[in-house]
Amino acid sequence: MNHIVKRAGHAEKYDNRKLYASVYSACLSVREPAGSAELIAERVVKDVDHWISHKHEVTSNDIRRQASKHLHAYHEDAAYIYHHHRVIH
Amino acid sequence: MYKVNNKRPRRFDYDLIVIGSGSGGGVAAHLSAKQGKRVAIIEDTAMGGECPNFGCIPTKALLKTAETYRTAKGANKFGVRATNVSVNYKNIKAWKDAAVHRTGTYQGKEVFNDAGVDVIRGHGHFLNKWTVSTGKKRYQAKKFVVATGTYSFCPNIEGLKETGYITYREAIDLDSAPKSLFVIGGGPIGCEFAFLFGSFGTKVHIAEISDNLIPQEDKEMGQTVEHIFAEADINVLSKTKVIKVSGRAGRKEVTYEQAGVQKRAIVEEVLLAAGKRPLTDLGLENAGVAFDAHGIKVKSTMATTNPNIYACGDVTGKYNFTHVASYQSRIAANNMWHRKKMRADYHAIPRVVFVDPEAAAVGATERELADRKIQYQKASVPISILGRSNTSGNDVGFVKVLASHTGVLLGASVVCPHAGEVIGELTLAIQNGLKASDVEKTVHAFPTWNEAVRTACTRIISI
């Protein structure tokens, strides 16, 4: 079971739906069409799932960095937004 | 589990936690434990790291068998009759396994435990500057040494991953020598495996993108090794770019480009030796440790950008050698616990390629001196002039020395039997700032390969 150590110091289970939602939002915020945003978010989640699969415990910053790195390969602008804005509505 | 916060803990589980049990980490762990520190080592793969398990020891054990086979086959030249000389590769592998066993890696955990070092199995990941997690448990320490080593770099070659390839890790464990082999990369690892399998009758192609093999050293070394390879019927493809690998009837077809012309080779196996990359995926950002694609950034004290975390060995991207890793580890072990700091000095690092005859170098290369705009003189001597060459029947090789305009030795290249040992004299001279005239004045035994070192030094003008 993968655990994420949050910034406040507590740990919680890794939930890739949260990651999907934040990447999807970042894509939408740079006017990426919804269908394409879904596709990109799915790919990024897959990449991060693969990265985390052999780790037991990482920080939320690790997740952010990994997601940002993979997102950069698919959409540079979305990656910039994702990396620099912690909360995207 | 306790909550992770970024304040310095009041109590630590250990004084030192080392991540990686190879020579870069093991030496610091042992030395620190000797000083009474509470030490743990985290290892998620083979105890002892790369060198005894997959690198130096198994390859040199295999190369020794190749040398013995070649010596036996060439014995008639010396009037020694050796008929029906053949190879039993299973026994060769057994010899290699025995050599690995003798290093003590199979008893690795006990070796560390006996030295007072706790061994923690798992993948270490930094959660903050003082905490590392192995998943099941978190550990806090005052100091850390990161010595995680490297992994084989896979270049972006069409079809390579899909078709499949082996690296040095798999090559040492083959049950038989492949009938044909295409080696991608003409550095030390590529050359050693090309020569190893070439000795056992494998049809070997070795491709290097640079002008010659072993491109990081002076060109004479690579050119001489190419000559040795040509005599061993190894197909050297310099200035060659591999562009595609594909499967073909159970074999592998390698498409490469040389001088603008595309050619193909069909082989049984492809061995990838195109370099290594540092293993830095362990949450270093959480600990404030800076790194890039070349490795963890370290000062000459081996401290990283976090003064409580040190890095040693291949992960620093300095020189990928066991002797450099243990040297760095000794420096880190001193600097962690003592006020008087030691500093790493890389101006006389010996480098050896274990083909036959061996190729070795130390200190600066001509390219480095030119880049640094240092005026230098050079002298080269072929080993064919030596009495030892005459009695051994081996006339391929040379000794080349580079010196400042005042004669201070700066660098050297050697290709001759036992060059790995011959380079020791020059390493001592360069390390201690000796002049060529100091070596010239030293009496060398006759007939030895080292006489070429003295002869080369006589051709340098010392002021």
Side-chain angles (χ1 to χ4, degrees):
Chain A
M1 182 62 70
N2 309 115
H3 282 89
I4 310 296
V5 178
K6 307 296 282 185
R7 285 208 300 156
H10 67 282
E12 60 181 46
K13 285 177 189 170
Y14 169 61
D15 182 354
N16 62 9
R17 290 172 304 178
K18 281 187 180 180
L19 176 64
Y20 178 92
S22 59
V23 174
Y24 178 73
S25 298
C27 291
L28 291 185
S29 70
V30 292
R31 298 177 187 279
E32 189 67 16
S36 173
E38 277 177 13
L39 202 63
I40 291 171
E42 274 170 21
R43 284 175 177 174
V44 171
V45 166
K46 196 178 161 193
D47 292 337
V48 175
D49 281 352
H50 176 72
W51 174 78
I52 206 171
S53 62
H54 68 284
K55 293 179 173 61
H56 296 283
E57 194 174 37
V58 298
T59 66
S60 48
N61 280 333
D62 288 325
I63 296 290
R64 178 166 291 277
R65 272 188 295 271
Q66 284 300 318
S68 181
K69 187 177 93 178
H70 292 295
L71 180 54
H72 191 269
Y74 303 120
H75 201 304
E76 277 185 37
D77 296 341
Y80 180 85
I81 294 292
Y82 177 84
H83 191 74
H84 289 89
H85 298 269
R86 290 188 188 280
V87 181
I88 298 164
H89 296 287
Chain B
M1 278 194 220
Y2 47 77
K3 198 171 168 182
V4 179
N5 64 44
N6 289 322
K7 286 181 187 166
R8 189 179 195 274
R10 286 185 185 168
R11 294 178 66 192
F12 292 94
D13 300 309
Y14 291 100
D15 295 313
L16 170 66
I17 289 179
V18 176
I19 306 178
S21 65
S23 46
V27 173
H30 276 100
L31 292 176
S32 300
K34 237 182 204 178
Q35 294 176 52
K37 306 295 179 189
R38 293 169 303 152
V39 183
I41 212 159
I42 296 175
E43 177 60 70
D44 65 343
T45 57
M47 291 303 295
E50 185 99 332
C51 170
N53 292 293
F54 316 107
C56 319
I57 298 300
T59 54
K60 275 54 184 180
L62 290 170
L63 283 160
K64 175 63 187 174
T65 65
E67 178 200 327
T68 307
Y69 179 54
R70 278 196 314 279
T71 303
K73 279 205 304 181
N76 286 335
K77 181 171 118 180
F78 301 95
V80 178
R81 189 182 298 162
T83 51
N84 299 327
V85 178
S86 62
V87 165
N88 181 328
Y89 204 85
K90 278 187 182 162
N91 289 349
I92 285 173
K93 199 179 158 195
W95 164 257
K96 182 270 295 178
D97 289 338
V100 171
H101 196 274
R102 284 192 292 270
T103 64
T105 54
Y106 290 148
Q107 303 86 34
K109 192 175 173 184
E110 285 72 36
V111 170
F112 282 106
N113 289 157
D114 291 347
V117 177
D118 288 348
V119 174
I120 301 163
R121 301 294 287 180
H123 176 83
H125 191 92
F126 282 100
L127 299 180
N128 65 18
K129 290 178 181 179
W130 296 282
T131 312
V132 70
S133 169
T134 57
K136 292 170 190 158
K137 209 173 169 192
R138 294 174 188 160
Y139 301 91
Q140 294 187 316
K142 290 178 191 168
K143 308 273 183 191
F144 290 90
V145 170
V146 179
T148 43
T150 51
Y151 65 93
S152 283
F153 168 65
C154 181
N156 191 17
I157 296 171
E158 186 187 336
L160 180 60
K161 278 183 187 166
E162 296 77 8
T163 310
Y165 59 88
I166 58 170
T167 67
Y168 61 97
R169 286 200 172 211
E170 293 76 39
I172 58 167
D173 268 333
L174 295 177
D175 290 325
S176 60
K179 287 192 170 56
S180 52
L181 179 72
F182 197 103
V183 181
I184 302 175
I189 295 174
C191 284
E192 288 181 3
F193 278 103
F195 199 66
L196 170 70
F197 290 118
S199 300
F200 292 133
T202 301
K203 178 59 198 168
V204 179
H205 311 266
I206 178 167
E208 169 56 47
I209 203 162
S210 306
D211 291 353
N212 45 263
L213 296 176
I214 321 172
Q216 58 273 42
E217 302 294 352
D218 282 344
K219 65 176 186 298
E220 294 93 331
M221 184 190 280
Q223 287 167 348
T224 308
V225 170
E226 284 174 18
H227 174 75
I228 295 164
F229 278 17
E231 290 204 334
D233 204 23
I234 294 169
N235 183 23
V236 177
L237 304 163
S238 52
K239 296 183 197 167
T240 298
K241 188 181 180 187
V242 176
I243 51 180
K244 188 180 171 187
V245 179
S246 55
R248 185 168 165 167
R251 305 183 79 192
K252 293 170 183 178
E253 185 179 75
V254 182
T255 307
Y256 57 92
E257 191 176 288
Q258 196 179 36
V261 180
Q262 281 197 9
K263 297 176 185 174
R264 286 178 179 81
I266 295 170
V267 290
E268 186 180 323
E269 193 53 271
V270 172
L271 192 152
L272 182 64
K276 291 176 165 188
R277 293 290 181 272
L279 273 165
T280 50
D281 184 16
L282 57 156
L284 293 169
E285 299 93 339
N286 302 326
V289 175
F291 65 97
D292 61 18
H294 303 291
I296 295 177
K297 293 180 185 298
V298 287
K299 298 172 186 167
S300 58
T301 59
M302 304 319 299
T304 65
T305 45
N306 177 338
N308 292 318
I309 300 180
Y310 292 72
C312 302
D314 296 1
V315 76
T316 64
K318 294 284 181 195
Y319 287 94
N320 291 359
F321 298 116
T322 299
H323 46 281
V324 174
S326 56
Y327 170 64
Q328 292 174 327
S329 200
R330 283 199 302 274
I331 290 170
N334 175 82
N335 294 347
M336 273 186 283
W337 313 119
H338 297 99
R339 282 192 182 169
K340 192 174 180 189
K341 303 295 181 199
M342 288 168 65
R343 293 185 183 278
D345 168 11
Y346 302 103
H347 88 281
I349 299 295
R351 303 151 330 244
V352 186
V353 184
F354 291 86
V355 291
D356 187 13
E358 291 172 0
V362 64
T365 61
E366 285 197 61
R367 193 185 308 126
E368 284 166 19
L369 294 174
D371 289 347
R372 286 155 55 193
K373 296 186 171 41
I374 294 173
Q375 282 194 331
Y376 63 93
Q377 30 177 342
K378 65 176 173 179
S380 188
V381 170
I383 63 162
S384 56
I385 66 167
L386 300 176
R388 186 63 183 271
S389 170
N390 178 28
T391 58
S392 305
N394 191 329
D395 57 2
V396 177
F398 67 92
V399 170
K400 185 179 89 168
V401 292
L402 306 173
S404 71
H405 67 285
T406 58
V408 176
L409 289 165
L410 301 173
S413 315
V414 178
V415 179
C416 74
H418 308 292
E421 274 74 34
V422 173
I423 206 72
E425 177 183 14
L426 287 157
T427 304
L428 185 70
I430 293 170
Q431 177 67 41
N432 292 286
L434 298 188
K435 288 186 173 183
S437 56
D438 294 320
V439 177
E440 184 194 341
K441 279 184 275 186
T442 306
V443 177
H444 287 64
F446 175 86
T448 60
W449 300 112
N450 282 64
E451 280 189 293
V453 173
R454 184 185 165 275
T455 309
C457 286
T458 61
R459 298 179 183 181
I460 294 286
I461 299 162
S462 295
I463 301 168

